[in-house]
PDB file of all heavy atoms in Angstrom:
ATOM      1  N   MET M   1     115.656  82.016 152.976  1.00 59.00           N
ATOM      2  CA  MET M   1     115.306  82.664 151.711  1.00 59.00           C
ATOM      3  C   MET M   1     115.959  81.896 150.562  1.00 59.00           C
ATOM      4  O   MET M   1     117.132  81.551 150.610  1.00 59.00           O
ATOM      5  CB  MET M   1     115.791  84.127 151.709  1.00 59.00           C
ATOM      6  CG  MET M   1     115.384  84.911 150.473  1.00 59.00           C
ATOM      7  SD  MET M   1     115.980  86.615 150.494  1.00 59.00           S
ATOM      8  CE  MET M   1     115.024  87.280 151.860  1.00 59.00           C
ATOM      9  N   SER M   2     115.176  81.622 149.509  1.00 68.00           N
ATOM     10  CA  SER M   2     115.673  80.834 148.387  1.00 68.00           C
ATOM     11  C   SER M   2     116.651  81.641 147.542  1.00 68.00           C
ATOM     12  O   SER M   2     116.711  82.881 147.638  1.00 68.00           O
ATOM     13  CB  SER M   2     114.508  80.368 147.511  1.00 68.00           C
ATOM     14  OG  SER M   2     113.922  81.482 146.859  1.00 68.00           O
ATOM     15  N   ALA M   3     117.416  80.906 146.686  1.00 67.00           N
ATOM     16  CA  ALA M   3     118.369  81.578 145.801  1.00 67.00           C
ATOM     17  C   ALA M   3     117.656  82.525 144.837  1.00 67.00           C
ATOM     18  O   ALA M   3     118.157  83.605 144.514  1.00 67.00           O
ATOM     19  CB  ALA M   3     119.163  80.528 145.022  1.00 67.00           C
ATOM     20  N   LEU M   4     116.448  82.129 144.388  1.00 65.00           N
ATOM     21  CA  LEU M   4     115.687  82.977 143.474  1.00 65.00           C
ATOM     22  C   LEU M   4     115.286  84.285 144.159  1.00 65.00           C
ATOM     23  O   LEU M   4     115.427  85.372 143.587  1.00 65.00           O
ATOM     24  CB  LEU M   4     114.445  82.239 142.972  1.00 65.00           C
ATOM     25  CG  LEU M   4     113.493  83.038 142.082  1.00 65.00           C
ATOM     26  CD1 LEU M   4     114.207  83.573 140.859  1.00 65.00           C
ATOM     27  CD2 LEU M   4     112.301  82.183 141.663  1.00 65.00           C
ATOM     28  N   GLU M   5     114.809  84.195 145.401  1.00 68.00           N
ATOM     29  CA  GLU M   5     114.404  85.396 146.133  1.00 68.00           C
ATOM     30  C   GLU M   5     115.599  86.319 146.365  1.00 68.00           C
ATOM     31  O   GLU M   5     115.497  87.541 146.203  1.00 68.00           O
ATOM     32  CB  GLU M   5     113.772  85.005 147.473  1.00 68.00           C
ATOM     33  CG  GLU M   5     112.433  84.278 147.331  1.00 68.00           C
ATOM     34  CD  GLU M   5     111.891  83.809 148.671  1.00 68.00           C
ATOM     35  OE1 GLU M   5     111.387  84.660 149.413  1.00 68.00           O
ATOM     36  OE2 GLU M   5     111.995  82.610 148.959  1.00 68.00           O
ATOM     37  N   GLN M   6     116.748  85.737 146.725  1.00 71.00           N
ATOM     38  CA  GLN M   6     117.943  86.547 146.944  1.00 71.00           C
ATOM     39  C   GLN M   6     118.374  87.251 145.656  1.00 71.00           C
ATOM     40  O   GLN M   6     118.740  88.436 145.677  1.00 71.00           O
ATOM     41  CB  GLN M   6     119.080  85.655 147.459  1.00 71.00           C
ATOM     42  CG  GLN M   6     118.865  85.132 148.872  1.00 71.00           C
ATOM     43  CD  GLN M   6     119.968  84.171 149.290  1.00 71.00           C
ATOM     44  OE1 GLN M   6     120.768  83.737 148.466  1.00 71.00           O
ATOM     45  NE2 GLN M   6     120.003  83.832 150.580  1.00 71.00           N
ATOM     46  N   THR M   7     118.297  86.542 144.538  1.00 67.00           N
ATOM     47  CA  THR M   7     118.688  87.132 143.254  1.00 67.00           C
ATOM     48  C   THR M   7     117.763  88.278 142.878  1.00 67.00           C
ATOM     49  O   THR M   7     118.199  89.342 142.426  1.00 67.00           O
ATOM     50  CB  THR M   7     118.674  86.063 142.144  1.00 67.00           C
ATOM     51  OG1 THR M   7     119.531  84.982 142.520  1.00 67.00           O
ATOM     52  CG2 THR M   7     119.135  86.636 140.818  1.00 67.00           C
ATOM     53  N   LEU M   9     115.938  90.220 144.830  1.00 71.00           N
ATOM     54  CA  LEU M   9     116.115  91.376 145.702  1.00 71.00           C
ATOM     55  C   LEU M   9     117.472  92.051 145.472  1.00 71.00           C
ATOM     56  O   LEU M   9     117.556  93.283 145.438  1.00 71.00           O
ATOM     57  CB  LEU M   9     115.988  90.950 147.168  1.00 71.00           C
ATOM     58  CG  LEU M   9     114.578  90.510 147.602  1.00 71.00           C
ATOM     59  CD1 LEU M   9     114.600  89.954 149.014  1.00 71.00           C
ATOM     60  CD2 LEU M   9     113.589  91.681 147.509  1.00 71.00           C
ATOM     61  N   ARG M  16     110.418  94.214 148.300  1.00 76.00           N
ATOM     62  CA  ARG M  16     110.099  93.218 149.319  1.00 76.00           C
ATOM     63  C   ARG M  16     108.598  92.960 149.369  1.00 76.00           C
ATOM     64  O   ARG M  16     108.151  91.812 149.515  1.00 76.00           O
ATOM     65  CB  ARG M  16     110.587  93.749 150.679  1.00 76.00           C
ATOM     66  CG  ARG M  16     110.359  92.849 151.879  1.00 76.00           C
ATOM     67  CD  ARG M  16     111.345  91.701 151.890  1.00 76.00           C
ATOM     68  NE  ARG M  16     110.711  90.432 151.568  1.00 76.00           N
ATOM     69  CZ  ARG M  16     111.334  89.276 151.609  1.00 76.00           C
ATOM     70  NH1 ARG M  16     112.606  89.221 151.906  1.00 76.00           N
ATOM     71  NH2 ARG M  16     110.703  88.156 151.283  1.00 76.00           N
ATOM     72  N   LEU M  19     107.531  90.776 146.440  1.00 72.00           N
ATOM     73  CA  LEU M  19     107.972  89.400 146.650  1.00 72.00           C
ATOM     74  C   LEU M  19     107.073  88.685 147.654  1.00 72.00           C
ATOM     75  O   LEU M  19     106.676  87.529 147.440  1.00 72.00           O
ATOM     76  CB  LEU M  19     109.425  89.387 147.133  1.00 72.00           C
ATOM     77  CG  LEU M  19     110.075  88.004 147.288  1.00 72.00           C
ATOM     78  CD1 LEU M  19     110.044  87.246 145.959  1.00 72.00           C
ATOM     79  CD2 LEU M  19     111.508  88.148 147.776  1.00 72.00           C
TER      80      LEU M  19
END
Side-chain angles (χ1 to χ4, degrees):
M1 184 181 293
S2 68
L4 176 58
E5 293 175 76
Q6 291 176 348
T7 304
L9 292 173
R16 180 76 252 185
L19 185 58

